[in-house]
Amino acid sequence: GAVGAPNGGGSAPAASPEFPAAVESARRQFSRLKLLIGGAWVDGGEGAAEDLLDPATGEPLGKVPHACTADLQRALAAAQDGFAVWSRTPAIERRRVLMRAAALIRERQESIACMLTLEQGKPLAEARGEVAGAAEIFEWYAEETRRLYGRVIPARNNTTQQLVVQQPVGPVAAFTPWNFPALTPARKIAGALAAGCSCIIKPAEETPGTAIELARACMDAGLPAGVLNMVFGVPSEISEFLIRAPQIRKITFTGSIAVGKHLAALAAQHGLKRCTMELGGHAPVLVFDDASVEQAAQACAAFKFRNAGQVCIAPSRFYVQRGAYERFVEVFTRTAAALRLGAGTDASTTMGPLANDRRLAAMAGFVEDAAARGGRVLTGGARAEGPGFFWQPTVLAELLDEAKAMREETFGPVAPIARFDTLEEALLRANSLPYGLAAYAFSSSAATMMALSAGLEAGMVGINSFAVSLAEAPFGGIKESGYGSEGGVEGLGAYLVTKFVAQASL
Ligand code: NAD
């Protein structure tokens, strides 16, 4: 059907025969996690570091170096010098470097995917798709540098020219989370670099290895020193320091709503800096009686539990019309219960661990609240036995809208399902929360589809489809899910400022 892979990752290659060898060699890469400052791979100046854990075992994989204040100062100076060089580099040359970086990411897909799975937990097939998706984002932005057009506005007399030009905004500070360690940094790095900006990125300390490999591909592709810098440390300290710094002209953040509000306020206070805020979501799914209910239920379960539900655009609260409810719940629950929980490096695994133990506590909170309100746990509902941060795929039925799982982003493998009667009622309930990232619906009625595509309050709407995250399409939210877009021409625009030039000959 039209239901597609939401991250446009392309098809993943079959598992390589030397699969365990690839995993073991990726594991060794974690002994050399570094910061990238001014073109050099370095340890933190004060020697501080934190443990990186394998979420499937809870065992350490390596040490993540922390940047000290002097390191951040050097990164700022490097980004400023890098901007002077890169913003004057012709677009056609920027394209060449980004295309070469994309080719290197594709070449190294297997080893990067193994690192991604080891540090983040998702099944290797998902990691391979994500790395291919990251390469595709580099390619798309590379091509788009050719179309950084301005325009000519008809002048009011014959001795004047009126031009509109687009220029890179300046050095960018980027902050990315741990759920898509390749895709999210790729969006920010490739977007900034395509526009002619330099960048200091602080990827999540929980998934540094994948981001480092992307940066390595950029450097190996010939990116000049200082254009891309990568640091790790205490997130709140690094973000505050960089946002305050006069050199930084743009902030781009993906993460939780609370942190996004804090960073946007800092950016306003210190230089009224431009922001792109890609924050949390709690995507509603409306399933109508006239939908292909069985197909919808299977697709919903597949996308809900992808990356163990730790996806900001995951379908995450389900409203099913009364006539379809029983059938939907039955197929959805069966599909969820059939998932195979395990380490992402195990070829038979279809759902990996959660990224950290904070998420386990959060899942317990949703299930306890549902039970206290008379909800039914149809499958799962508990942590899985053994080491690692595993939570069973969980389906909660008969939930009222007041239940915590219906109101708050679950960001994990807990799926709450409720009933509805009419379109008007469903739309009202779908739009009732402060989130506005993604929304989905399943129906075969053209009238219903039109009403929903117009009426759903979200930055991305999928109708009979989950394919809303593509390199060529804008990705972003409204309401408290944030502002600005990544991807599409809008994604490049996020790193550009518009200048109007009136030029007269006297
Ligand atoms: P969190 O808010 O503590 O962290 C989310 C990310 O933001 C992490 O990568 C973290 O390093 C970073 N971060 C935290 N404080 C920061 C600061 N002051 N400055 C800069 N970066 C900062 O939440 P968590 O427990 O790691 O994750 C759970 C929640 O985060 C989820 O409920 C979800 O809402 C949100 N989240 C959203 C996305 C997304 O794609 N929008 C991705 C990951 C997490």
Side-chain angles (χ1 to χ4, degrees), residues 284 286 423-432 435-436 439-441 447-461 463 478-479:
L286 313 187
L423 187 147
E424 293 70 28
E425 170 213 337
L427 202 49
L428 211 63
R429 288 164 72 187
N431 289 340
S432 65
Y435 303 96
Y440 305 97
T448 302
M449 291 189 220
M450 274 179 69
L452 294 172
S453 59
L456 281 168
E457 294 173 2
M460 292 158 283
V461 173
I463 295 182
I478 60 169
K479 296 161 82 176

Side-chain angles (χ1 to χ4, degrees), residues 311-403:
V311 181
C312 54
I313 56 165
S316 63
R317 51 192 166 109
F318 299 88
Y319 303 89
V320 185
Q321 204 164 16
R322 198 160 292 276
Y325 184 84
E326 296 299 337
R327 184 87 191 110
F328 180 91
V329 169
E330 186 211 317
V331 177
F332 186 97
T333 306
R334 191 166 10 100
T335 312
L339 289 165
R340 283 193 57 129
L341 219 55
T345 49
D346 181 337
S348 64
T349 293
T350 50
M351 194 179 102
L354 298 182
N356 53 55
D357 55 1
R358 298 191 298 282
R359 301 315 302 150
L360 288 176
M363 295 311 113
F366 289 118
V367 173
E368 276 160 28
D369 173 85
R373 291 170 193 273
R376 288 199 299 136
V377 179
L378 297 186
T379 186
R383 182 179 182 161
E385 294 293 320
F389 311 132
F390 290 95
W391 188 270
Q392 299 166 348
T394 297
V395 180
L396 304 174
E398 311 301 339
L399 282 199
L400 299 176
D401 287 1
E402 294 71 42

Side-chain angles (χ1 to χ4, degrees), residues 176-179 202 204-205 235-236 239 253-256 259 263 278-280 312 358-359 409 411:
T176 55
W178 41 260
N179 56 338
K202 190 206 75 60
E205 286 66 27
S236 56
S239 59
F253 171 76
T254 299
S256 60
V259 173
L263 299 191
E278 204 271 276
L279 309 179
C312 54
R358 298 191 298 282
R359 301 315 302 150
E409 176 174 36
F411 219 70

